[in-house]
Amino acid sequence: MSPRKTRLGPQRHLLFYFLAVAVALVGVMLWLGWKLVRQDKELAAQRLQERRESATDLAVVALKKSLSLIEERMTRLASLAPAEQRRQAAADVTTLPDDCALILFRPDVAEAFPDVKLPFYPTVPSEVGPSASLFAEAERLEFRQSDSAGAVAALRDPAHSSDPRIRAGALVRMARNYRKLGRWGEALAAYEELAAIKDVRIETLPADLIALQARLRIFEQTNRVEAAKQDAVLLQNGLRERRWRLTRGAYEFHAAEAQRILGQAEQPPADGETLALASATETLYKEWRRNLPAAGNRILWESNQPLLAVWRQANDGLTLLLLGRRWLEAQLEESRGFSFAKQGIVVVLTDADGRSVVGRPASGPQRQTVRLAAETQLPWNVHAVATDPDTVLAPARTRQRILVTAIWLISALILAGAYLVGRAVTREMAVSRLQSEFVSSVSHEFRTPLSSLCLLSDLLASGRVASDADRDAYYGVLVRESRKLRRLVEGLLNFGRMEAGAMQYRFETVDPAELVRELAADFQREVEASDFRLEMTAAKDTPLVSADPTVLGSAVWNLLDNAVKYSPECRQVWIDVLKEDGRAVIRVRDRGLGIPASERKRIFEKFTRGEAARQGGIEGAGVGLAMVHSIMAAHGGEVRLESEPGRGSTFTLSLPGVR
Ligand code: ADP
């Protein structure tokens, strides 16, 4: 197993395990979250469905109740006899919405309640006019002899009769003859008189309506446009106020006449709703005359308006109630059916053919609930439609969004947490491993000088030294090795202080060239034995610096020591002192192993050694450069490194000048 593998293997695994557990956790969370979101969605849809179901049921119950109440009342009303009592009771019926009406039929009589309701009726009272013999002479003169003046004279007496029917008959004929004679003024006067006679019909038409219509014609004939318009307004108002009880034909004719004279811009005298009521009345009347069940209800479509017809036959009459959309809406509103509107649900009614009676049904089955007429025995299909399922489901969506965000957040936190914890643990382990390596390296470094010291001291003490020259050489080695040992111990002590932040610096103004010169001389002596040469250059203008000379010296010594240690082939190292941008620079160069780019940053960390150093079995504890780095930081300076593997390295210390 390679050393690198030994160094990183277990820690890499550890980080991997941490991350694997975190990923598994996140996976489980995402799965649970997804399940939860899906369930929540289903629940929201189900709740919407339930709401629709209960809205439909509520509406069905309310409609059934209203309908049975109506039917009960109708039965009671229809059972009243005689007809007069029925009329009385119908008149007392509480107010119905505008698009509803109660109609009582007796053979040849149809009456609506409220009485101003219908613009026309299926049957109107027809009056038998006065005996034809009364006007026989006048008509003979008028038609056989074309003697209109004679006819007028013959009609004068009856025109003053006290019987309004005779008077009306005479005035109509007189006015007609005046028109034939072109005596417009007298014709108009006769019509005026006729118009004043109320409650008299000539056949099926009211006398005053005949007078009004005839005057209109005269005004048109004589080009009196304004007067014609005035009368057309009167005619239209009369129709609007339901002043006359008319058949459909008469109503439509007069309404069209008024409209023709007044122009299309004028509102017709009856709206779609009332026309629908009148048409429905007519339809039911006709059916009643032919064959109609004794009791029942049915939806009728008249003028595109849906009307619910409820009827009862009794006592020779038919009692009919026509109920329009507004009544239905009121019933639904009274039920809680419409309060669902707030929750985005509306109740919709359609007839058996699917035509919408109230509201609009939805296009897809998934958005509505239906109770068919066949199952509820109501005349309508009842639907509950979700108008905007998106808004109804909005709270659920928000909930889901929050949940998803929370899950993602927690997942991210778990992953980040696992990574950080894993990395911290890995680092701690690396540090503790490096520390133990450090202890063994330091022990190793101590052992070499200590063994030399012991060996030489033993030799000297035993007196077995051959010559004085040898003794001197041994003493020299003793001095060098003990200095080395002292430097080692001091270095380690200083490192301990720096780590603890307890290092005491004694700053003074120092000439870096001078400091390096002395140091270089010492160092040269130190490495002479191993054939190393140190070459020094110093620029004259190097600025002075504020530094602790001992500590700064130890940093330079460390660099020189490394330069020698990591130069297995080239036996020369260089040290230059110079000025650069007003700063003092000390540069230590070697042509040794060099440092790969990947290690250039890390080697300044404590206990970190390069790969080449380890593999080459070069002694060291991995604290030298860490110390250089913190010494430079304490001096307000910096350390830089340029290196090329296999070609050597240059370490540069740069310090601010004090001058
Ligand atoms: P040590 O020398 O005791 O290992 P250092 O902190 O002094 O610790 O150096 C850290 C590492 O930097 C060394 O292990 C070595 O790999 C690399 N290094 C330092 N100086 C040099 C140099 N001059 N040439 C090549 N490598 C060096």
Side-chain angles (χ1 to χ4, degrees), residues 572-650:
Q572 172 139 14
V573 293
W574 293 263
I575 184 158
D576 311 308
V577 186
L578 52 141
K579 178 183 173 186
E580 213 175 74
D581 299 333
R583 294 169 75 93
V585 165
I586 303 167
R587 210 158 50 197
V588 177
R589 288 184 287 135
D590 64 64
R591 289 205 188 128
L593 296 173
I595 302 157
S598 60
E599 291 181 355
R600 274 177 218 157
K601 217 170 155 190
R602 281 200 301 129
I603 52 170
F604 288 97
E605 289 168 17
K606 61 183 174 184
F607 311 136
T608 310
R609 306 204 63 211
E611 218 41 60
R614 295 164 163 281
Q615 280 176 357
I618 302 168
E619 278 182 4
V623 296
L625 289 182
M627 277 173 68
V628 172
H629 186 264
S630 60
I631 290 168
M632 289 322 286
H635 281 77
E638 57 176 13
V639 51
R640 290 195 303 269
L641 164 63
E642 289 135 74
S643 184
E644 212 177 311
R647 313 215 39 186
S649 317
T650 304

Side-chain angles (χ1 to χ4, degrees), residues 222-496:
T222 53
N223 274 335
R224 291 169 63 186
V225 181
E226 274 316 305
K229 278 197 172 160
Q230 269 175 21
D231 271 14
V233 170
L234 285 178
L235 176 62
Q236 197 166 41
N237 287 345
L239 292 174
R240 199 167 280 149
E241 290 160 14
R242 319 273 185 259
R243 196 180 301 154
W244 308 288
R245 186 160 290 226
L246 303 173
T247 58
R248 182 198 275 264
Y251 169 79
E252 283 174 354
F253 170 75
H254 288 102
E257 279 291 283
Q259 199 83 7
R260 180 177 64 78
I261 294 163
L262 294 173
Q264 292 304 323
E266 197 66 24
Q267 284 285 321
D271 55 30
E273 276 174 7
T274 38
L275 285 176
L277 285 172
S279 295
T281 307
E282 194 176 52
T283 308
L284 261 295
Y285 179 78
K286 279 183 192 153
E287 281 187 35
W288 177 53
R289 298 319 292 154
R290 282 200 309 270
N291 185 20
L292 186 72
N297 64 46
R298 197 170 86 210
I299 298 174
L300 290 174
W301 283 89
E302 301 286 352
S303 313
N304 271 335
Q305 307 275 339
L307 286 168
L308 175 68
V310 182
W311 69 86
R312 291 286 179 276
Q313 284 190 61
N315 303 318
D316 218 15
L318 175 73
T319 311
L320 169 68
L321 182 63
L322 293 171
L323 299 166
R325 267 200 185 106
R326 240 161 292 152
W327 176 82
L328 272 174
E329 283 167 358
Q331 304 314 302
L332 288 173
E333 212 159 322
E334 261 174 44
S335 78
R336 272 192 40 233
F338 267 18
S339 73
F340 281 89
K342 278 186 222 111
Q343 300 167 19
I345 293 174
V346 288
V347 176
V348 168
L349 302 180
T350 57
D351 71 0
D353 301 329
R355 280 186 291 181
S356 65
V357 175
V358 172
R360 295 226 147 270
S363 45
Q366 68 279 19
R367 282 180 51 190
Q368 62 177 339
T369 314
V370 191
R371 298 276 180 277
L372 290 175
E375 47 178 320
T376 58
Q377 305 300 316
L378 282 169
W380 318 271
N381 303 321
V382 181
H383 310 239
V385 178
T387 42
D388 189 359
D390 285 348
T391 42
V392 178
L393 295 176
R397 294 241 164 79
T398 317
R399 220 165 36 236
Q400 284 158 19
R401 225 169 290 136
I402 292 171
L403 197 73
V404 169
T405 318
I407 288 171
W408 280 118
L409 226 87
I410 293 171
S411 303
L413 281 176
I414 289 178
L415 283 175
Y419 175 73
L420 290 176
V421 170
R423 211 176 60 162
V425 169
T426 313
R427 279 205 173 160
E428 276 310 305
M429 285 183 69
V431 168
S432 77
R433 195 187 50 75
L434 286 175
Q435 259 170 338
S436 71
E437 271 181 22
F438 165 75
V439 170
S440 85
S441 306
V442 166
S443 324
H444 211 73
E445 279 205 64
F446 271 103
R447 202 184 303 146
T448 323
L450 271 175
S451 320
S452 311
L453 283 178
C454 284
L455 194 77
L456 290 175
S457 332
D458 280 353
L459 209 64
L460 288 170
S462 68
R464 280 185 284 117
V465 184
S467 65
D468 283 350
D470 279 353
R471 186 176 296 112
D472 287 348
Y474 290 163
Y475 278 130
V477 174
L478 274 182
V479 169
R480 253 198 336 272
E481 290 302 307
S482 33
R483 271 196 198 146
K484 191 174 175 185
L485 210 56
R486 199 187 68 196
R487 259 198 310 277
L488 216 65
V489 172
E490 271 176 5
L492 286 174
L493 284 173
N494 279 343
F495 175 68

